[in-house]
Amino acid sequence: MRLARQGDDEAYRRLLGQVAIWLRAVVRRGLASAGRGPAESEDIVQEALLAVHLKRETWDASRPIGPWLRAIAQHKLADHLRRRGFHDHLDIDEWSNAPELAVEVEAPAAIDSRRMLASLPDRQRTIVQEISLEGHTAADVAARLGMTEGAVRVALHRALKSLAAFYRREQP
Amino acid sequence: MKTDQLVDALVADGGAASPIARLLLLALAAGVALSLVVFFLTLGIRPDIGPALETWRFDLKIVTALLGLVLAFGVCRDCARPDMPPHPLRRLLPLLALIVLAVAVELVLVPEAAWRQRLIGSNSLICLPMVPILSLAPLAVVLWMLRRAAPASPALAGAAAGFMAALSGATLYAFHCFDDSPLFVATWYSLAVLGMTAVGAWLGPKLLRW
């Protein structure tokens, strides 16, 4: 995360990849202890991953990152369960320190991503699709759409914030 | 969308970030700058500022407000984080101690017959509305910045923002106010600050959920 803050994209990708694997394990165990199956787990993983990204300014670089990640995972998991009518207190500390249970294989996300993307304005939707689904870089997308790279990044950032809001509203 | 694809989008958005403490400091500075304009347009510094600076009561009033502002900033920064450290309010103990001490000294120095007059002062009806008015801009800017944060408790973070904003308003107002007695400050300033803290606590859950 320290490297990522200085703009090291590869370090950031590695970090998010590892965080996703860790989140998957934490979220499945959290769902299991709330008596729920893993069907919604990937939605929560993605929502928490978005929060890790959008809220990365709140991590204090002088402190270990583990408790910060745990707090975000716990918040998103509790929030998800509360929206589905589960009110007991969940303490993820009991089961979040178990890397041997990490699940590498991801389940399909339950929230329909087409519907999620459809909630975005056209321009933002195109940018998210080109970058995430088709794997283009921001510079490529900018050239194809005739925008500056900065404008693509701004639109992408807005789109990510809208997606985070979409997860918060979603009540399947 | 697959999680790997989401990661691609997040990396494309970039990992660079400035720490939330710096952002909050900028927000507070911007809010106080706006309030300074309001302050000079409506109240202005008291005309006898020179002699006032040489009295310990005035200086103590300013020091108390500034100490409160600095401590409140620490609380606000702690409350902005998802992994809020335990007992953030402990940071405020020095402020409480200073106020209690100042009130005790004043009660010893001033004869009992004059307590009432010192407590009521001459300005309480201006103090009560003006401290909140001078904290409106800081509160708005700080709350807006806190929307980028991830507070463990939105209500607590809102209250901390209201408290910090009120102390910045109180610091400005203190340069106008003629009532320097710790009895007056501990009563009316505190009432105004607590009022804004309550406003922040009410707004927090509405604005700061994430």
Side-chain angles (χ1 to χ4, degrees), chain B residues 59-144:
Chain B
D59 293 344
L60 182 63
K61 178 173 76 166
I62 301 290
V63 166
T64 307
L66 279 176
L67 175 71
L69 184 57
V70 170
L71 298 178
F73 180 78
V75 176
C76 195
R77 186 194 52 201
D78 284 355
C79 287
R81 295 166 31 181
D83 53 339
M84 180 175 66
H87 314 299
L89 296 183
R90 271 195 200 160
R91 285 180 184 278
L92 300 178
L93 285 179
L95 176 66
L96 202 62
L98 182 63
I99 293 174
V100 169
L101 189 70
V103 167
V105 169
E106 181 79 340
L107 289 179
V108 171
L109 291 181
V110 175
E112 201 174 333
W115 285 1
R116 200 180 143 76
Q117 191 268 325
R118 293 273 174 136
L119 174 70
I120 294 170
S122 55
N123 251 344
S124 57
L125 288 181
I126 305 178
C127 173
L128 270 186
M130 276 320 286
V131 168
I133 287 171
L134 289 172
S135 31
L136 281 182
L139 179 63
V141 187
V142 168
L143 280 177
W144 172 77

Side-chain angles (χ1 to χ4, degrees), chain B:
Chain B
M1 197 188 313
K2 288 194 175 222
T3 300
D4 287 348
Q5 294 166 338
L6 178 67
V7 168
D8 285 340
L10 301 184
V11 171
D13 192 35
S18 15
I20 193 76
R22 187 189 310 164
L23 298 175
L24 284 175
L25 194 60
L26 283 175
L28 180 64
V32 170
L34 286 171
S35 280
L36 263 176
V37 175
V38 177
F39 176 73
F40 281 110
L41 286 179
T42 55
L43 300 173
I45 293 178
R46 56 193 272 184
D48 62 339
I49 182 73
L53 278 170
E54 284 161 25
T55 66
W56 67 268
R57 286 193 177 88
F58 179 82
D59 293 344
L60 182 63
K61 178 173 76 166
I62 301 290
V63 166
T64 307
L66 279 176
L67 175 71
L69 184 57
V70 170
L71 298 178
F73 180 78
V75 176
C76 195
R77 186 194 52 201
D78 284 355
C79 287
R81 295 166 31 181
D83 53 339
M84 180 175 66
H87 314 299
L89 296 183
R90 271 195 200 160
R91 285 180 184 278
L92 300 178
L93 285 179
L95 176 66
L96 202 62
L98 182 63
I99 293 174
V100 169
L101 189 70
V103 167
V105 169
E106 181 79 340
L107 289 179
V108 171
L109 291 181
V110 175
E112 201 174 333
W115 285 1
R116 200 180 143 76
Q117 191 268 325
R118 293 273 174 136
L119 174 70
I120 294 170
S122 55
N123 251 344
S124 57
L125 288 181
I126 305 178
C127 173
L128 270 186
M130 276 320 286
V131 168
I133 287 171
L134 289 172
S135 31
L136 281 182
L139 179 63
V141 187
V142 168
L143 280 177
W144 172 77
M145 192 57 92
L146 274 177
R147 285 173 60 85
R148 287 171 68 157
S153 156
L156 202 54
F163 185 71
M164 178 170 77
L167 278 159
S168 71
T171 307
L172 289 184
Y173 177 73
F175 282 95
H176 168 80
C177 176
F178 290 101
D179 294 301
D180 300 333
S181 167
L183 296 182
F184 181 92
V185 175
T187 309
W188 302 106
Y189 280 59
S190 301
L191 265 180
V193 167
L194 289 178
M196 283 309 280
T197 307
V199 170
W202 174 68
L203 287 173
K206 297 182 195 304
L207 298 176
L208 304 179
R209 286 200 189 286
W210 55 283

Side-chain angles (χ1 to χ4, degrees), chain A residues 5-6 54-61, chain B residues 15-24 26 145 148:
Chain A
R5 272 203 176 165
Q6 290 153 18
L54 291 173
K55 305 297 185 184
R56 64 194 183 280
E57 289 159 339
T58 62
W59 173 57
D60 178 348
Chain B
S18 15
I20 193 76
R22 187 189 310 164
L23 298 175
L24 284 175
L26 283 175
M145 192 57 92
R148 287 171 68 157

